[in-house]
């Protein structure tokens, strides 16, 4: 096969061997599941959007933090579309100030910004044309009349209303009289309902040395750390992991319904700085790897401090591959491989072994998808051990 063919791309499969870290607090099992929506509220198929972004109000269906995609329901066109986002994408509140991606949950009304050169969205902003009521318990739903009463006010809804319980799309018929709701609407109409029964909060304090870096909560939640970050999550037990400037670690915490669990990141700074024994594994000639702008020797172990690093891979006849690497393990291996655009490389890892194999490009949460439309999140996936990289220009 001619490696200069335009259909060929450079794919990096990140294979990471996670070692145990010092952990604080207690933990249980049965961690809540994130990242997959089982059903969509309309009959339309999910489309990977390459078209120009409009300014219509959209309802978030899913923010997939592993694949680095956002699926939204356009309230005007009634189409369900999937877009790419990246670390360059700004998450903004309705006033235009920076916000955490953790606040962009299913049911949130947003307006999407234009696309960057990478085809990722430039911004995802909470709509300032809608209203939101949280912690709603004094409601009645007249399903026959398509009416919702909140206190003394009455609102209407259509058959296309978006209803969620956690990350799952559900029917409005499933809402019980004792549930707690977050309701989003525009004027006198309701656009979405999120069932938040059983949710609690995580409050991060003393974040100064980690601001701007990333936090992982459980297996599927990733977000940028902002000062005094407060996020809502289903009750349960979580591993919370952070890393920046040579410091990092994992804290175990329990989140209880209606309560705020405080995590002091100042405690994580103790015992640092920490480093990772990182190896780029290259099995073919003509591949050059750059770490933070400097070429490195492939197949040799490097000592890299915990935190965020820039990785660039070049190969004769292939497009350059650029990603942000988030280092938060004692050792890691990054395997550089070449593949067709029509396939992706899925990697799994364990404590003492790793393997890589090629799989089809269909994602598990959509009726139709293609790898050339998806930019998988290799920036953070080294924290969870299932890693895929694919560059599409």
């Amino acid at each position: 096969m001619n490696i200069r063919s335009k259909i060929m791309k450079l794919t990096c499969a990140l294979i990471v061997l996670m070692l145990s870290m010092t952990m604080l607090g207690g933990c249980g099992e049965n961690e809540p599941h994130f990242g997959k929506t089982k059903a969509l509220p309309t009959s339309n198929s999910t489309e990977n959007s390459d078209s120009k972004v409009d300014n219509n109000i959209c309802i978030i269906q899913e923010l997939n933090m592993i694949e680095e995609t956002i699926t939204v329901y356009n309230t005007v066109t009634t189409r369900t579309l999937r877009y790419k986002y990246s670390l360059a994408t700004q998450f903004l509140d309705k006033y235009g100030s920076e916000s955490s991606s953790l606040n962009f949950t299913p049911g949130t009304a947003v307006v999407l910004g234009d696309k960057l050169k990478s085809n990722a969205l430039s911004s995802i902003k909470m709509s300032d044309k809608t209203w939101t009521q949280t912690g709603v318990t004094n409601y009645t739903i007249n399903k026959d009349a398509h009416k919702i009463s909140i206190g003394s006010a009455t609102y209407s809804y259509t058959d296309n209303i978006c209803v969620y319980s956690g990350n799952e799309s559900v029917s409005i018929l499933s809402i019980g009289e004792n549930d707690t709701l977050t309701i989003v609407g525009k004027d006198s109409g309701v656009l979405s309902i999120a069932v938040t029964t059983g949710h609690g909060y995580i409050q991060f304090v003393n974040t100064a040395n980690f601001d701007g870096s990333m936090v992982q909560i459980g297996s599927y939640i990733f977000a940028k750390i902002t000062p005094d970050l407060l996020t809502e999550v289903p009750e349960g037990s979580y591993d919370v992991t952070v890393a920046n400037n040579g410091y990092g670690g994992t804290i175990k915490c329990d989140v209880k319904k209606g309560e705020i669990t405080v995590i002091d990141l100042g405690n994580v700074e103790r015992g640092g700085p920490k480093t990772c024994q990182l190896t780029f594994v290259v099995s073919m000639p003509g591949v050059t790897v750059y770490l933070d702008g400097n070429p490195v020797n492939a197949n040799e172990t490097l000592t890299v401090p915990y935190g965020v690093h820039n990785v660039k891979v070049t190969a004769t006849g292939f497009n350059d591959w650029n990603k942000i690497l988030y280092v938060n393990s004692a050792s890691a291996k990054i395997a550089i491989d070449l593949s067709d655009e029509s396939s992706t490389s899925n990697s799994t890892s364990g404590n003492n072994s790793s393997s890589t194999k090629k799989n089809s490009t269909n994602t598990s949460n959509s009726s139709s998808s293609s790898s050339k439309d998806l930019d998988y999140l290799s920036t953070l996936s080294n924290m969870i051990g299932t890693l895929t990289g694919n560059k599409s220009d």
Side-chain angles (χ1 to χ4, degrees):
M1 181 179 294
N2 180 5
I3 64 172
R4 293 181 183 275
S5 171
K6 291 184 179 179
I7 66 171
M8 297 287 288
K9 301 290 181 181
L10 178 63
T11 299
C12 293
L14 278 66
I15 307 172
V16 176
L17 308 180
M18 300 297 293
L19 300 183
S20 60
M21 300 179 181
T22 302
M23 300 181 180
L24 305 177
C27 179
E29 298 181 348
N30 301 321
E31 180 178 287
H33 178 76
F34 295 87
K36 294 184 179 179
T37 301
K38 290 186 176 180
L40 299 176
T42 72
S43 60
N44 296 338
S45 297
T46 302
E47 306 171 45
N48 293 305
S49 180
D50 288 324
S51 58
K52 183 178 180 181
V53 181
D54 57 40
N55 293 319
N56 296 334
I57 295 173
C58 296
I59 302 298
I60 294 179
Q61 302 272 15
E62 177 193 35
L63 192 69
N64 193 315
M65 298 178 180
I66 299 176
E67 295 182 356
E68 210 168 12
T69 60
I70 182 173
T71 304
V72 297
Y73 171 72
N74 191 308
T75 61
V76 176
T77 67
T78 69
R79 297 171 65 194
T80 299
L81 299 170
R82 183 186 291 109
Y83 297 89
K84 296 193 302 180
Y85 73 91
S86 69
L87 290 180
T89 302
Q90 290 184 299
F91 286 85
L92 306 173
D93 63 21
K94 67 179 182 178
Y95 304 107
S97 300
E98 183 180 16
S99 182
S100 170
S101 59
L102 293 178
N103 298 321
F104 290 72
T105 54
T108 304
V110 297
V111 176
L112 307 179
D114 294 332
K115 292 183 180 179
L116 301 169
K117 185 178 180 180
S118 64
N119 208 36
L121 294 171
S122 60
S123 65
I124 303 172
K125 179 179 178 293
M126 293 182 182
S127 171
D128 59 359
K129 306 298 183 184
T130 58
W131 49 263
T132 301
Q133 296 193 37
T134 61
V136 177
T137 56
N138 60 333
Y139 61 86
T140 57
I141 301 177
N142 187 329
K143 300 176 178 66
D144 294 328
H146 283 51
K147 300 288 186 181
I148 300 176
S149 296
I150 306 174
S152 60
T154 301
Y155 305 89
S156 61
Y157 67 89
T158 70
D159 289 333
N160 287 332
I161 187 173
C162 301
V163 184
Y164 302 94
S165 179
N167 250 36
E168 294 187 0
S169 177
V170 299
S171 168
I172 195 171
L173 300 176
S174 67
I175 297 177
E177 60 182 15
N178 295 321
D179 281 327
T180 302
L181 310 177
T182 293
I183 301 178
V184 176
K186 183 176 184 295
D187 300 327
S188 60
V190 172
L191 300 176
S192 72
I193 300 175
V195 180
T196 58
T197 306
H199 284 210
Y201 301 86
I202 297 178
Q203 173 80 66
F204 294 90
V205 299
N206 293 325
T207 63
N209 287 338
F210 294 93
D211 287 342
S213 62
M214 306 300 293
V215 60
Q216 176 189 4
I217 303 174
S219 297
Y220 294 92
I221 304 178
F222 304 94
K224 181 184 291 187
I225 298 176
T226 55
D228 298 321
L229 173 63
L230 176 68
T231 183
E232 179 181 344
V233 296
E235 61 181 334
S237 298
Y238 297 91
D239 287 345
V240 179
T241 307
V242 294
N244 194 40
N245 293 329
Y247 294 89
T250 299
I251 299 173
K252 290 195 172 185
C253 71
D254 294 313
V255 177
K256 297 181 180 180
K257 175 183 176 181
E259 297 183 7
I260 297 177
T261 299
V262 177
I263 294 180
D264 186 350
L265 294 186
N267 294 329
V268 182
E269 300 169 17
R270 301 171 184 173
K274 300 178 181 179
T275 59
C276 170
Q277 297 303 298
L278 176 65
T279 305
F280 292 96
V281 180
V282 178
S283 59
M284 67 170 291
V287 176
T288 303
V289 181
Y290 298 85
L291 182 64
D292 296 327
N294 300 311
V296 297
N297 293 325
N299 301 312
E300 293 185 8
T301 301
L302 309 172
T303 300
V304 179
Y306 274 30
V308 179
H309 299 272
N310 295 299
V311 177
K312 178 181 179 180
V313 181
T314 64
T316 303
F318 291 82
N319 294 329
D320 292 350
W321 187 86
N322 296 274
K323 282 291 181 181
I324 304 295
L325 177 64
Y326 186 72
V327 175
N328 187 40
S329 60
S331 65
K333 291 183 179 180
I334 300 179
I336 309 300
D337 194 7
L338 302 176
S339 71
D340 295 326
E341 186 180 48
S342 59
S343 67
T344 62
S345 180
N346 293 329
S347 306
T348 59
S349 67
N351 287 335
N352 299 303
S353 64
S354 61
S355 63
T356 303
K357 67 178 181 178
K358 291 182 180 179
N359 264 332
S360 64
T361 60
N362 290 335
T363 59
S364 61
N365 65 323
S366 66
S367 57
S368 62
S369 65
S370 171
S371 65
K372 67 182 179 181
D373 295 312
L374 300 177
D375 184 17
Y376 291 98
L377 180 61
S378 55
T379 54
L380 299 176
S381 297
N382 59 323
M383 298 174 66
I384 63 173
T386 302
L387 315 157
T388 309
N390 188 19
K391 177 177 170 60
S392 175
D393 290 330

